[in-house]
């Protein structure tokens, strides 16, 4: 295991991520103004992204987490299992879901459907990475995306490779 940049194929550098987060943070701030928002970071993948992003948002922010796992096995619709639910109230609130990566769309589709049943004021979605795949299984409307990437397996900056490497400050990719 290595923490040196030279031992990884870097897709997005630490400074590249930081620059983009400033832009997204500004856009989110402009979008909500003085309206309070409740950020739900999907654990564990979005923890690093959410920690950096909230410091670029200049509106009143409440922070909570939502733990989900999506199973893509036998059922084509996918099945979402909640490992932990948010403790903060959702009803009547502006919810901003923050996730690491949009892949098949099953996770965010399931989360958005569940959230809408909790009578929020609004639900918006911000992802760090939007994987350009042709076989998206569920359509998900993303309000803010950090980077569009090719259909690669990526890790670092919160994303894991068999649970390791979440602590790398950059995003690297695995070549087939
Ligand atoms: P989806 O339900 O297929 O959209 O899955 C999204 C989740 O799958 C993400 O939150 C990640 O945890 C995981 N995931 C998808 N692609 C990658 C990847 O390239 N690297 C690491 N995790 C990934
Ligand atoms: Mg994950």
């Amino acid at each position: 295991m290595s923490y040196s940049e030279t031992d990884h194929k870097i897709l997005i550098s630490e400074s590249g991520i930081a620059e983009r987060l400033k832009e997204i943070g500004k856009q989110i701030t402009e979008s909500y103004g003085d309206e309070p928002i409740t950020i739900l970071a999907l654990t564990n993948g979005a923890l690093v992204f959410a920690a950096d992003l909230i410091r670029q948002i200049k509106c009143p922010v409440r922070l909570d987490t939502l733990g989900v796992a999506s199973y893509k096995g036998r059922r084509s619709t996918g099945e979402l299992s909640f490992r932990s639910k948010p403790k903060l109230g959702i009803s009547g609130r502006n919810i901003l879901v923050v996730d690491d990566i949009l892949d098949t769309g099953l996770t965010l589709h399931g989360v958005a459907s569940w959230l809408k049943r909790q009578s929020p004021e609004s639900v918006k979605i911000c992802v760090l990475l939007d994987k350009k795949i042709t076989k998206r299984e569920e359509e998900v409307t993303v309000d803010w995306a950090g980077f569009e990437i090719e259909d690669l397996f990526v890790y670092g900056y919160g994303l894991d490779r068999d649970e390791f490497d979440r602590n790398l400050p950059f995003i690297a990719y695995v070549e087939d």
Side-chain angles (χ1 to χ4, degrees), residues 42-46 68-72 80 99-109 129 131 133 136-138 140 149-156 158-162 166 172:
L42 303 198
T43 55
N44 296 327
V68 284
S70 70
Y71 295 104
K72 295 154 198 177
L80 210 62
D99 201 8
D100 52 359
I101 186 165
L102 175 64
D103 187 16
T104 64
L106 292 174
T107 305
L108 281 169
H109 178 82
L129 305 172
K131 226 187 234 191
I133 60 169
R136 190 89 82 210
E137 291 177 40
E138 291 285 359
V140 174
I149 64 165
E150 296 303 313
D151 191 1
L152 297 162
F153 186 83
V154 291
Y155 61 92
L159 293 118
D160 70 299
R161 203 164 43 157
D162 289 335
R166 294 190 197 271

Side-chain angles (χ1 to χ4, degrees), residues 73-137:
R74 281 161 283 171
R75 289 185 211 175
S76 60
T77 50
E79 192 183 307
L80 210 62
S81 104
F82 285 82
R83 289 200 215 104
S84 68
K85 289 191 176 165
K87 290 172 194 69
L88 297 179
I90 290 166
S91 173
R93 300 288 183 165
N94 294 306
I95 306 295
L96 177 60
V97 179
V98 173
D99 201 8
D100 52 359
I101 186 165
L102 175 64
D103 187 16
T104 64
L106 292 174
T107 305
L108 281 169
H109 178 82
V111 167
S113 310
W114 179 79
L115 280 172
K116 281 172 190 158
R117 294 197 294 275
Q118 317 303 312
S119 344
E121 174 68 22
S122 67
V123 176
K124 290 193 174 178
I125 296 177
C126 175
V127 293
L128 177 64
L129 305 172
D130 182 355
K131 226 187 234 191
K132 286 288 133 204
I133 60 169
T134 48
K135 52 181 190 325
R136 190 89 82 210
E137 291 177 40

